[in-house]
């Protein structure tokens, strides 16, 4: 079983690279952003709560986010048996600690954290482009500013949490999709 986290700012390429990683290493791709957007599209109770945070560029409260993730892991047990690529989770220290605890109870762990490092001005440009192309609601100038601020304050400190245990693998997230993917694969293969 191989469990990985893909880490980086909003617009750093986590979703794109996760899909490629999932395919190559036969992993189950969990994107918490996609899970929440699906709830919003289906107008569930969780979707209503999630929308009120996502539209402001804020994080969903840890307790709710952790519950959603735990329920998903339990309900998709068969699909996760080769391992999971976690995309967009964890985003806070309590989420990271809970993920380590949860995987520990399943006798497994996070083998590596792939950190896509991209400067803020490039992240902003990529999100504005995605917003124009896809209509994604939180890819607008104002919400992007909040998402970047939240990332630096609440999520970036996780880099130190994973670096302490030798799991953080920094990857230069600038360049072509395939070029970045090759560097990611080299880091994963060295960590396996
Ligand atoms: P993403 O698609 O990963 O950029 O996530 C879009 C939005 O969903 C974020 O800006 C947050 O509002 C919310 N979200 C996704 N994952 C998490 C998480 N692990 N914790 C809290 N909020 C999250």
């Amino acid at each position: 079983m191989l469990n990985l986290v893909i880490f980086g700012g909003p617009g750093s390429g986590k979703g794109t690279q996760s899909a490629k990683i999932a395919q190559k290493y036969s992993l189950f791709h969990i994107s918490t952003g996609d899970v929440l957007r699906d709830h919003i599209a289906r107008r569930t109770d969780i979707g209503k709560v999630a929308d009120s945070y996502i539209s402001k560029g804020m994080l969903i409260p840890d307790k709710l986010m952790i519950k959603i993730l735990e329920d998903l892991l339990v309900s998709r047990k068969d699909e996760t048996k080769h391992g999971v690529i976690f995309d967009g989770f964890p985003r806070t220290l309590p989420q990271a600690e809970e993920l380590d605890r949860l995987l520990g109870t399943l006798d497994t762990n996070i083998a590596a954290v792939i950190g896509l490092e991209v400067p803020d001005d490039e992240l902003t440009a990529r999100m504005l482009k995605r917003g124009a192309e896809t209509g994604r609601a939180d890819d607008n100038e104002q919400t992007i500013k909040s998402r970047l601020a939240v990332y630096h304050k609440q999520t970036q400190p996780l880099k130190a949490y994973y670096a302490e245990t030798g799991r953080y693998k920094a990857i230069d997230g600038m360049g072509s999709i395939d070029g970045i993917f090759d560097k990611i694969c080299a880091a994963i293969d060295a960590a396996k």
Side-chain angles (χ1 to χ4, degrees), residues 13-24 29 85 87 181:
K14 299 190 297 292
T16 304
Q17 295 295 342
S18 293
K20 292 169 77 71
I21 295 167
Q23 197 184 18
K24 173 162 176 175
H29 178 192
I85 170 94
D87 161 12
F181 184 59

Side-chain angles (χ1 to χ4, degrees), residues 10-11 14 31-34 36-37 50 53-54 57-62 65 87-92 95 130 136 138 147:
K14 299 190 297 292
S31 156
T32 44
D34 284 351
L36 296 169
R37 280 185 288 276
Y53 289 94
I54 292 179
M58 291 164 64
L59 297 183
I60 274 69
D62 283 338
M65 198 64 243
D87 161 12
F89 188 98
R91 263 179 155 99
T92 64
Q95 291 182 14
R130 183 173 62 188
R136 182 168 149 172
D138 58 346
R147 288 159 72 198

Side-chain angles (χ1 to χ4, degrees), residues 2-9 14 21 84-91 96 99-100 103 109-117 151 155-172 183-184 187-192:
L2 175 69
N3 297 301
L4 303 168
V5 168
I6 192 148
F7 184 83
K14 299 190 297 292
I21 295 167
V84 175
I85 170 94
F86 292 95
D87 161 12
F89 188 98
R91 263 179 155 99
L99 186 60
D100 277 343
L103 294 179
N109 62 5
I110 294 292
V113 174
I114 306 299
L116 294 176
E117 304 198 339
Y151 171 70
T155 306
Q156 219 172 22
L158 291 186
K159 179 174 168 175
Y161 174 81
Y162 286 115
E164 267 168 29
T165 41
R167 292 179 288 176
Y168 186 81
K169 314 290 170 197
I171 302 286
D172 181 357
K183 288 185 272 181
I184 291 175
I188 294 174
D189 294 339
K192 272 204 293 181

Side-chain angles (χ1 to χ4, degrees), residues 59-141:
L59 297 183
I60 274 69
D62 283 338
K63 208 166 160 219
L64 176 61
M65 198 64 243
I66 289 166
K67 171 92 174 66
I68 294 170
L69 186 87
E70 281 182 353
D71 288 351
L72 194 69
L73 286 176
V74 171
S75 67
R76 310 299 285 267
K77 221 171 173 178
D78 277 355
E79 289 133 298
T80 59
K81 61 176 180 252
H82 296 298
V84 175
I85 170 94
F86 292 95
D87 161 12
F89 188 98
R91 263 179 155 99
T92 64
L93 196 54
Q95 291 182 14
E97 288 169 347
E98 183 58 21
L99 186 60
D100 277 343
R101 191 199 64 76
L102 190 66
L103 294 179
T105 65
L106 302 170
D107 253 348
T108 183
N109 62 5
I110 294 292
V113 174
I114 306 299
L116 294 176
E117 304 198 339
V118 177
D120 277 10
D121 53 353
E122 170 73 11
L123 294 176
T124 302
R126 287 188 194 177
M127 284 186 276
L128 287 174
K129 183 164 178 273
R130 183 173 62 188
E133 284 170 2
T134 67
R136 182 168 149 172
D138 58 346
D139 281 340
N140 66 75
E141 215 160 333

